[in-house]
Amino acid sequence: NNNLPLVISTWNHGMPANEAAWEILAKGGHSLDAVEAGVRVPEADENVITVGKGGIPDASGKVTLDACIMDEKGRAGSVTYLQHIVHPISVARLVMEKTPHVMLSGKGALEFALDNGFKKEKLLTKKRKEEWKKWKKEYEEFSVKINIENVTEDNHDTIGMLAIDKDGRVSGACTTSGMGYKMPGRVGDSPIIGAGLFVDGEVGGATATGSGELVMKTVGSFLVVELMCQGMTPGKACEEAVKRIAKKIPNYQNHQIGYIALNTKGEYGSFCIQPGFNYAIKTPEITELVDAEAWLK
Ligand code: SD4
């Protein structure tokens, strides 16, 4: 297949992330190594404010990270509510490879990471701390409720990445600091296998960004892959999963969700609720940022 290898990932920061993944894919490497290397780029980038270091904290000022990873054999690993570690995706991979479990959370996940040589670091940057203080003051003064219906560009740039290597192996990774100023303890869709990410090595993969609550309630990424399994193209499957949200969830108009998907033939597609979601794609012939089609015009 001339279209392989291929890597696709969410938002603008997908471009540099794809380049890191490509270094591995171009050498004939495994898609699992590619997606891990790819999403580590925004995790380490302080300017990407909803992934890894430099992420927006929760309402109490803590940066808590969610991530998961899955390969073509159906293996999966995940961490939720992980603090102090810059690369949750690599911890998720170790959960997959070194433990009998799929998901480790909070303190246990942190202990597991430290036992495996990860270093404790400060994830809350000065800038994010200042912004959080300002937010907190307003929040307390006006006793505003935490509202998950605040769709802003800044609140929605989880990275989800899918890759298929030249041997046709599909893997995916998803990593985020989650919704900004979320309630302490809140976990989103991103580390949940089937919600924020799903891979079926015989079919393809899908990943999600946006209001995690809506994705969880519709098991979005699993749905996209299952629809591809029934014969839909990646783009159609993403559209159908967005339609499902539109049908089932009141106020979905006040949210953004973006899905991206690829299949084992190397076809890919995307769909979102509102205009404004984009994804980065790289193949032997294409390196570009694409605006996704939206349900609301
Ligand atoms: C979450 N889905 O925690 C994540 C947030 C996100 O782009 O995707 N931001 O709900």
Side-chain angles (χ1 to χ4, degrees), residues 17 20-21 24 32-42 89 161:
I24 289 162
L32 181 66
D33 297 322
V35 294
E36 181 190 6
V39 303
R40 281 173 64 98
V41 174
I89 199 64
M161 175 180 278

Side-chain angles (χ1 to χ4, degrees), residues 11 50 66 155-158 176-179 186-190 208-213:
W11 303 109
T50 74
D66 296 337
N155 226 344
H156 290 275
D157 49 4
T158 288
T176 191
S177 52
M179 178 171 291
R186 183 265 188 188
V187 169
D189 61 318
S190 305
T209 178
S211 300
E213 281 71 11

Side-chain angles (χ1 to χ4, degrees), residues 15-164:
M15 291 296 274
N18 282 1
E19 291 306 318
W22 195 257
E23 276 187 33
I24 289 162
L25 293 171
K27 287 185 205 135
H30 196 293
S31 57
L32 181 66
D33 297 322
V35 294
E36 181 190 6
V39 303
R40 281 173 64 98
V41 174
E43 280 185 341
D45 186 344
E46 289 183 15
N47 298 317
V48 176
I49 66 175
T50 74
V51 184
K53 190 172 183 170
I56 306 175
D58 69 10
S60 71
K62 292 192 182 97
V63 179
T64 69
L65 306 178
D66 296 337
C68 73
I69 194 160
M70 197 163 182
D71 74 4
E72 89 286 357
K73 297 190 198 85
R75 300 188 307 159
S78 156
V79 289
T80 78
Y81 199 79
L82 177 63
Q83 296 181 60
H84 314 303
I85 301 290
V86 178
H87 291 298
I89 199 64
S90 298
V91 185
R93 180 169 177 173
L94 275 189
V95 172
M96 173 174 102
E97 290 176 337
K98 288 203 165 171
T99 81
H101 306 304
V102 170
M103 184 182 274
L104 291 182
S105 186
K107 233 173 133 186
L110 177 61
E111 271 166 28
F112 172 75
L114 296 175
D115 286 349
N116 281 282
F118 287 80
K119 295 274 165 307
K120 217 167 165 172
E121 285 188 49
K122 211 166 146 186
L123 301 182
L124 184 65
T125 57
K126 249 190 174 160
K127 197 149 177 249
R128 300 284 95 77
K129 194 173 175 178
E130 288 311 310
E131 288 164 2
W132 166 71
K133 277 189 182 158
K134 226 175 105 199
W135 172 85
K136 195 169 183 280
K137 201 162 161 262
E138 280 174 27
Y139 175 75
E140 281 164 356
E141 259 172 40
F142 305 112
S143 61
V144 282
K145 287 216 178 75
I146 291 175
N147 177 11
I148 70 162
E149 294 182 2
N150 54 349
V151 188
T152 69
E153 186 88 344
D154 293 347
N155 226 344
H156 290 275
D157 49 4
T158 288
I159 187 153
M161 175 180 278
L162 306 164
I164 176 164

Side-chain angles (χ1 to χ4, degrees), residues 208-230:
T209 178
S211 300
E213 281 71 11
L214 280 61
V215 177
M216 282 190 267
K217 286 192 258 190
T218 53
V219 201
S221 292
F222 178 77
L223 178 60
V224 173
V225 173
E226 189 55 28
L227 291 168
M228 292 195 293
C229 186
Q230 313 286 334

